[in-house]
Amino acid sequence: MQQIDDRWMRLALSLAKRGLGRVWPNPAVGCVIIKNHRLVGRGWTQPSGRPHAETVALAQAGSAAKAATAYVTLEPCAHHGKTPPCADALIKAGITRVVCALEDPDPRVSGRGFLLLSDAGIQVDQNVLADEAEALNLGFLLNRTIERPMITLKLAMSLDGRIATQTGESHWITGPKARRNVHLLRANHDAVLIGRGTAAADNPMLDVRDLGLENRNPVRVVVDGGLSLSPSSRLARSASETPLWLCHHPGIERERCDMWQDLGAKLIEVETTDTGELNISDLAHKLAQNGLTRVLCEGGGQLAASLIQAELVDRLILHSAGLLLGSKGLSGIGALGFTSLADFPRFELQSIKQLDQDVETIWQPAA
């Protein structure tokens, strides 16, 4: 039975991945409905978070859902929101067994969905492939438990850890395949985060291109304390079409705020530190409050260092090119402020992959 449950849950998890970057503030959930060892319905959370995975799968299964088993990657919701509770839908459809990977930490749901199902006489089995499900929805779990999004830090660097020449030239350190991979990363995150310096130096769009996924552009977030980003930049000129959020100091003059809001940007006021810098932990908190669950940081060395110092990096992705820039090149990560080797952060290697002449390594903080 365990092997069978694992097999169907893996399918549900693979379906859930299709929602990553598209369903925030909701979790990306997958559901499959099995009857007599056959797949009769499948679904995943749809763009903007509705309809839910269970609703889609039940609609596909129709009358075949009666006396069937539902495999769901997250506890079915039990509260009335913009859609009725999925737990009620499973009960009404005649499902007799629900196999689930994770309990939903949202206080409106946590345990209540399972209780509704059990009270209706449905067999509930939990924690099937829980580790895989937790990794998939880490952003949602962090948002609901400690009110911050999952943050992926992506760096494209030379072999000696440089992200640009001493004059700031960085196009292109890595090759086409690595850059294409970055666009896929953007499509699977809710937002892309950069600093004011990167915005000025690169004048980026931070959109998704060359993948046929142009409808999956992330929110563009710029850390810009003084709201000094040029209104003629590509980010500003496209703010009415693709969301642009600017994180700034308190007390910015009203006229400047009005100008950015007229351009279509969303302004997020962030607390400052004793040194006058934006508080990176409060910034992460504010992003979560605004619904973000998965953020991809493509900023420069100082923003990377700030996130690392604040222990906000959940996944580190390095794209290493076969290139040497020397000590005068710009470092990929700014000063971390530690002196003892024991205090510097360590990461554990999760995977390594060749991207033509570049190498991608994925790391997570050491336990």
Side-chain angles (χ1 to χ4, degrees), residues 67-266:
T69 295
Y71 291 82
V72 191
T73 59
L74 189 69
E75 178 182 3
C77 62
H79 63 288
H80 286 268
K82 295 184 179 179
T83 57
C86 289
D88 284 350
L90 292 166
I91 293 167
K92 291 177 182 177
I95 293 289
T96 55
R97 181 177 179 237
V98 172
V99 181
C100 194
L102 281 179
E103 181 177 319
D104 190 335
D106 190 313
R108 299 171 299 174
V109 181
S110 187
R112 293 181 58 212
F114 293 145
L115 184 60
L116 280 175
L117 296 170
S118 297
D119 286 348
I122 295 175
Q123 178 184 341
V124 178
D125 294 309
Q126 302 178 43
N127 300 318
V128 175
L129 300 187
D131 289 345
E132 289 90 333
E134 182 176 346
L136 174 70
N137 260 316
L138 180 60
F140 173 77
L141 299 175
L142 290 173
N143 183 295
R144 291 298 188 271
T145 54
I146 59 174
E147 290 194 310
R148 75 165 178 85
M150 181 197 84
I151 297 179
T152 300
L153 174 60
K154 190 280 300 180
L155 296 170
M157 303 196 300
S158 63
L159 288 176
D160 51 348
R162 308 292 163 171
I163 58 173
T165 68
Q166 64 189 95
T167 63
E169 183 184 355
S170 61
H171 294 82
W172 295 102
I173 285 179
T174 53
K177 191 168 185 179
R179 299 199 298 273
R180 186 180 177 89
N181 188 66
V182 172
H183 286 273
L184 182 59
L185 285 173
R186 290 176 182 174
N188 289 329
H189 284 75
D190 309 340
V192 177
L193 173 69
I194 63 170
R196 168 69 179 80
T198 298
D202 296 347
N203 193 23
M205 272 292 288
L206 302 179
D207 56 356
V208 177
R209 302 185 298 276
D210 304 325
L211 296 176
L213 300 174
E214 287 74 15
N215 63 333
R216 295 184 61 168
N217 286 332
V219 174
R220 290 93 49 87
V221 182
V222 182
V223 183
D224 184 12
L227 289 183
S228 59
L229 180 68
S230 171
S232 64
S233 65
R234 298 171 73 200
L235 289 170
R237 287 187 281 111
S238 59
S240 61
E241 302 164 3
T242 303
L244 174 65
W245 297 3
L246 301 177
C247 299
H248 63 87
H249 292 116
I252 299 294
E253 60 269 22
R254 185 72 260 167
E255 293 79 6
R256 182 166 291 274
C257 292
D258 289 344
M259 178 198 74
W260 279 108
Q261 289 174 330
D262 289 344
L263 286 172
K266 178 173 183 171

Side-chain angles (χ1 to χ4, degrees), residues 143 147-149 282 284-292:
N143 183 295
E147 290 194 310
R148 75 165 178 85
D282 185 57
H285 176 65
K286 294 289 175 57
L287 295 182
Q289 283 186 325
N290 281 278
L292 297 184

Side-chain angles (χ1 to χ4, degrees), residues 18-19 21-24 26 44-51 215-216:
R18 301 185 183 190
R22 309 188 73 192
V23 301
W24 64 277
N26 285 9
W44 58 92
T45 313
Q46 296 301 292
S48 300
R50 286 179 291 285
N215 63 333
R216 295 184 61 168

